[in-house]
Amino acid sequence: MRIAALPNGEFQLEGRSLTRILSFLSPVAFRLRDLDCPASFAVPKLSVLSSGAKVNGNRIEYESLRVEFDDELNFQVYVNGVKALASRPYKPAELTHDDVDIAKKEGHENGSADSSIGGLSFEFNGPVYGLGDKTGPLNKQGYAYINWNTDDPHPHVETFKSLYKSIPFLLLFKPELTVGLFFDNTSLCRFDIEKEDPDLVTYGYSDGSLDLYCFFGAMPDVVSDYTSLVGRNPLPPRWALGAQQSRWGYLNERDVLEVVEGYRKADIPLSVIYLDIDYMDRYMDFTVDKSRFPDMAALTGKLAKEGVHLIPLIDAGVKVLDGYKIYDEGMENGYFSTLDGEVYHNEVWPGDAVFPAFINPKVQAWWSDKVADFLKETGIGGIENDMNEPASFKGPLPLEVEMGGLPHKLAHNVYGHCMDKATYEGFVKAGKRPYVITRAAYAGTSRYAGAWTGDNNSIYDHLRLSIPQLANLSLSGFANIGVDVGGFGGDCPDHLMQRFINASILSPVLRNHSSIGTRHQEPYAFDEKTAEIYRKAIMTRYELIPTIYDNLFLSLSSGLVVLRPLVYNFPEAKETYNDNSAIMLGESLLLAPSLMAGEIKRAVYFPDDFYSYADHVLYKKGWNLIEADERSLNLFVRDHSILTLNPVGTKTTDFQSVLRLLWTGNEAACYHYEDAGDGLGYTKGEYNLYLIQADEEHGLSIVPVHLGMPSHYKEVLIETFDGRTIRRDFVLKD
Ligand code: MIG
């Protein structure tokens, strides 16, 4: 093989039968691609390092990295001389192990042909994390998955190959050196994670070409480098961190006001109500049924006074109806997807429906205008994008449907992504801080939207699934995420609701949502015991909002993951590698909830010394048996940490005049972020960032890092777990 340095800093690799391009993104990351890569949806712009890398025969060396090729362009990567990654020729999936026809007769869907046209395998035997929202445990070792955005209403179980999102990002984990692989290809892709062969991770794509990014380093650095490439979740408005209530079936203004009233009577704070498809006129996007919501702007105004914000749902499919503005405009301008030159029809909620050709930037601009107008007309706070896989009722869209410059087979996995982009841009046009929650996503959708994990069920399996699913979605670049608390489908028993809310208090999106036709799932729709447990969990959540907001800021500014599997913070502790039952927020909060019906106690591995948040009991590093029944809010604070909190009893998401700091152990530090809580001012520097430092000798000090606005704070309340409380003026260290 031969390597030629190109004038722009890239390297052309000439193998026996193929040619590829390599470029360095940093001293710990490179991109390897085919010659004919299409423009990326995930990577907005890429600057190639004119690196000063040295070519030496079949190898390229750049600082600590060395990449060696053979004649077929298989490659090995060395970091500081240590072998970090070795590719092998693509190993096709042996999906059909034997004659499956007999099983198919009864409806079993085992085995399907491998449609890959190319791919790569990598030598690896160890834990693998990432891959977005896939089902199954945290560690994907032993599983195979498919990236093809899928709305399957059956209960999401481990045998599912795909869900709504396709995030082709994997972490091949080793404590000292983790490898991140990002396969930027929007076609249907397969992943075999040490399943067919325990020593191989295999990736295959069904169309397009190879466009691979490899990252090397400690896991947090690898994730941060990946998200700095594809983009990070914008900061949500602070009110969105409060309790959110949703249900498919809030039919009219009265239903919405009843929710507010129900929460008020139950004495549980509430910050957001979602309007599911029911608010629309005949399920037409950007319309409001006036007979049921006579004056949406008046309603949002009224609710805002009570600190409640409305978030309506928007569907991807557009109703076919002459005289309906969106349909007419889309038809006039050729903005809908086509098949053989004709506008393509399928069926979704509005009945006969057409699909905006979202891949086309003109269609995105048009949609974003509609979003901006809708935001201004109605005063709503956010938008939930649904059915954007795209989902359809009369069979899947044919693979040839033209979606604005790409056929469906290449557009499918980025259809929701482009809808989210348009939605995000609508907020920017309206001068509002974007709050978009999406069901479908691709790598980099994080630039535009947070996400929920779609239609889970009110079952214990889905309570348990929420932990690894949110952890892997986080590691795949999404910070502002949550599951439907209580479960979407099915009737939620009270003891499951009690555990679900206790297990969800760290999720940035804390949304109780349920399907039409299921039992009502609002906290006050259960018995008093459930309401009491719910109230306690939500009151704790409102105390934690400053910490959650701080972490969301840090995720945006530095790529630090918000919801973390324990392995992220404790890569040396083997006990964390397969921990599916505990999760951390940031560096110091750990939640180890009760996850089984009837459970009374559970084991938890503490990778450090931790204190229980509620009663300050110290748990030493190692295995512990802890109380874990339906009442247990098993939140723990790491020793040697500082938490930023709202005062006990806070019921709003507004910044308080007292900054409460919980200080454990001796030496500790954290950052604290403050801004207007909403609006776009923070993007122009209107925020304050503080470094809070403490040790026994010098006490606690608040050091300004960035001062861009007047502070909300008048006082600081410092609490320690040995019972000391200090109240003092909010004074910054010079
Ligand atoms: O197929 O709008 O995931 O949250 O309530 C059902 C009705 C369509 C699916 C969403 C769910 C929402 C529901 N939607």
Side-chain angles (χ1 to χ4, degrees), residues 416-463:
H417 174 94
C418 293
M419 181 186 185
D420 296 329
K421 174 168 181 273
T423 309
Y424 169 90
E425 283 163 359
F427 279 80
V428 176
K429 278 182 184 167
K432 279 180 75 96
R433 185 182 294 195
Y435 191 69
V436 187
I437 296 294
T438 186
R439 196 170 71 171
Y442 180 68
T445 308
S446 42
R447 276 204 301 287
Y448 313 117
W452 90 104
T453 58
D455 298 346
N456 63 353
N457 276 249
S458 300
I459 58 177
Y460 273 90
D461 275 337
H462 283 175
L463 169 63

Side-chain angles (χ1 to χ4, degrees), residues 151 164 247-248 276-277 313 315 349 384 386-387 393 439 452 454-455 484 488 511 513-515:
D151 168 29
Y164 311 90
R247 178 170 174 85
W248 179 8
D276 209 295
I277 45 175
L313 179 151
D315 279 326
W349 296 113
E384 176 190 14
D386 192 19
M387 306 295 275
F393 297 166
R439 196 170 71 171
W452 90 104
D455 298 346
D484 286 349
F488 173 75
R511 180 177 85 147
H513 181 46
S514 57
S515 175

Side-chain angles (χ1 to χ4, degrees), residues 347-458:
E347 194 183 309
V348 209
W349 296 113
D352 191 13
V354 291
F355 298 83
F358 277 123
I359 309 301
N360 179 352
K362 278 195 191 140
V363 176
Q364 293 170 17
W366 169 64
W367 195 262
S368 69
D369 284 341
K370 302 295 149 199
V371 169
D373 292 347
F374 195 55
L375 290 169
K376 286 187 237 163
E377 281 158 24
T378 58
I380 54 168
I383 285 182
E384 176 190 14
N385 279 337
D386 192 19
M387 306 295 275
N388 52 351
E389 291 72 31
S392 50
F393 297 166
K394 279 180 157 165
L397 279 62
L399 293 176
E400 300 72 36
V401 168
E402 209 283 329
M403 303 185 121
L406 272 189
H408 181 212
K409 64 179 171 177
L410 286 168
H412 183 83
N413 286 339
V414 282
Y415 189 81
H417 174 94
C418 293
M419 181 186 185
D420 296 329
K421 174 168 181 273
T423 309
Y424 169 90
E425 283 163 359
F427 279 80
V428 176
K429 278 182 184 167
K432 279 180 75 96
R433 185 182 294 195
Y435 191 69
V436 187
I437 296 294
T438 186
R439 196 170 71 171
Y442 180 68
T445 308
S446 42
R447 276 204 301 287
Y448 313 117
W452 90 104
T453 58
D455 298 346
N456 63 353
N457 276 249
S458 300

Side-chain angles (χ1 to χ4, degrees), residues 32 388 567 574 696:
L32 179 69
N388 52 351
V567 57
K574 286 203 173 56
E696 287 295 345

